[in-house]
Amino acid sequence: MKFLRWKYSIFLIVGAWWLPSGNAYAVPNVTCEAGMNTAVGSTGKVNISDSITPANADDARISATLNYRCTNSGSAGYVSVCLAVDGGNNNSTYPPRYMKNGSVDSNLAFTMTLPGNIDWGTRNSSGSEFNSGSLAIAENSFISGSVAINVSLLSNYNNALATSGTYTNDFNGSHTALTFRANDTSSDLDCSTGNSGVEMFPFTVQATVISSCLVTSTADINLGSHSANRNNIMGDNSSAIGVTCTNGAPYSIGLMPSNNNVNGAGMMSGTGNNTDKIPYQLRSINEVIWGNTATSNNVGNGVIGTGDGTSQLKTVYVTVLSADFRPDKYSDIVSIQVNY
């Protein structure tokens, strides 16, 4: 009997297949937001000052903080953030930008600048948008940053003529734009090369003009030299007092001789051991007595006016009944009080 034998062979074919790992094509998955003087994603406010007067209307300023934050829910990579702003609700062309006081025909001109005194603006208009440059961002993490924005009132735009009130410019709606780009490498990553973003970071710039007055100039009144028999001497100086008050602000000016006489009747003193005193009277126009009984609510015997944001000159008259006193140089100091 013959037996048949089968030979079994197992051929092992070794093959190699390249399987991509889970991170081979992974990229960052980034979202970004921003905020001015506040947490990102919230409406901010930049208050230049609550006490703008003609004296600081051309140079009041504040440093605001523009914050931004990017969150990455993907793999590690890089992100670039751009933040832009236009003229706001009050003007489509700039600089300058303007704050307005409701329906009142009065403005405050201001500017916003990036570090290096670069006008902060938009990508395709006036100024330059802020560009963070390429920033590394880790996997499933976030980065945050900030930039100082200098906000200041501008000279040569008649800010000193502004009337009292609160002035604002709202940068809401489409007046701001946030653009960002993310990639797994930093090469050629630039947010300014993409389309302008649709994310916003609304904020308001404001300043408050208050009623204020300031004595901006004074000038002495020289009665000259006179013989002893001279009577009824009168002197004046048309630029004796310069007062600058907020546009539209009523005010009154009181004058007080060194003897504190509220009716403007003073005494000029001589020099050295001379004890003689020469009486004099302070007057306004038409020889009306000018004293210091005025208050913010009552003109009294003062002189009234209404501010226009510029220096207004007030003439002071002085009368002396007699020069029959010891020869000497006589003088007195008069205090000025402005009520508003």
Side-chain angles (χ1 to χ4, degrees):
M1 177 181 289
K2 293 182 178 180
F3 294 92
L4 296 177
R5 295 183 178 179
W6 295 89
K7 293 183 179 180
Y8 294 91
S9 298
I10 299 176
F11 296 93
L12 298 179
I13 300 176
V14 179
W17 287 268
W18 179 75
L19 297 175
S21 65
N23 292 324
Y25 294 110
V27 293
N29 183 24
V30 175
T31 58
C32 296
E33 54 187 345
M36 175 72 85
N37 267 8
T38 186
V40 293
S42 302
T43 300
K45 179 180 292 185
V46 179
N47 186 20
I48 297 177
S49 175
D50 286 326
S51 53
I52 299 298
T53 69
N56 66 356
D58 286 340
D59 55 18
R61 64 187 60 214
I62 191 172
S63 181
T65 302
L66 178 59
N67 301 294
Y68 58 92
R69 175 187 172 111
C70 294
T71 302
N72 181 19
S73 60
S75 298
Y78 297 86
V79 63
S80 175
V81 182
C82 287
L83 301 169
V85 62
D86 64 11
N89 279 348
N90 294 333
N91 51 307
S92 57
T93 59
Y94 62 94
R97 297 172 170 97
Y98 288 98
M99 287 176 278
K100 293 184 178 293
N101 179 16
S103 60
V104 178
D105 186 21
S106 186
N107 301 318
L108 286 177
F110 71 102
T111 185
M112 297 188 292
T113 57
L114 298 167
N117 201 33
I118 301 170
D119 284 336
W120 182 33
T122 61
R123 182 174 305 172
N124 300 313
S125 186
S126 299
S128 301
E129 65 180 342
F130 167 74
N131 189 324
S132 70
S134 181
L135 304 172
I137 187 168
E139 179 180 2
N140 295 320
S141 66
F142 70 89
I143 60 168
S144 60
S146 63
V147 58
I149 305 294
N150 187 60
V151 185
S152 57
L153 299 184
L154 287 173
S155 59
N156 302 320
Y157 286 93
N158 294 323
N159 283 345
L161 305 184
T163 56
S164 299
T166 298
Y167 292 72
T168 61
N169 190 343
D170 293 323
F171 295 87
N172 50 25
S174 61
H175 294 299
T176 62
L178 183 158
T179 308
F180 67 92
R181 294 186 67 191
N183 207 336
D184 57 341
T185 66
S186 62
S187 177
D188 299 324
L189 181 63
D190 187 353
C191 52
S192 66
T193 61
N195 295 327
S196 185
V198 295
E199 297 296 328
M200 312 300 173
F201 48 99
F203 64 95
T204 297
V205 175
Q206 74 174 43
T208 302
V209 177
I210 62 172
S211 293
S212 172
C213 287
L214 180 67
V215 177
T216 50
S217 64
T218 59
D220 295 337
I221 300 174
N222 190 343
L223 296 170
S225 299
H226 303 279
S227 60
N229 62 356
R230 179 71 183 274
N231 296 320
N232 297 320
I233 300 168
M234 177 176 286
D236 68 84
N237 192 329
S238 60
S239 59
I241 302 175
V243 178
T244 301
C245 295
T246 302
N247 195 2
Y251 66 88
S252 63
I253 303 174
L255 299 181
M256 178 85 80
S258 64
N259 62 359
N260 295 326
N261 186 287
V262 295
N263 293 312
M267 304 289 288
M268 289 185 287
S269 301
T271 62
N273 295 324
N274 183 5
T275 58
D276 283 1
K277 305 284 187 182
I278 300 181
Y280 69 90
Q281 178 64 57
L282 297 171
R283 300 181 185 275
S284 60
I285 193 169
N286 297 326
E287 298 188 3
V288 176
I289 288 176
W290 191 347
N292 195 43
T293 62
T295 67
S296 57
N297 299 316
N298 189 340
V299 64
N301 57 15
V303 169
I304 63 173
T306 301
D308 62 4
T310 67
S311 180
Q312 299 178 345
L313 298 178
K314 299 297 180 181
T315 301
V316 180
Y317 298 88
V318 177
T319 56
V320 175
L321 294 180
S322 172
D324 189 15
F325 296 91
R326 185 181 306 179
D328 200 350
K329 183 178 182 179
Y330 294 84
S331 63
D332 191 29
I333 297 177
V334 177
S335 298
I336 304 169
Q337 178 173 309
V338 181
N339 305 287
Y340 55 90

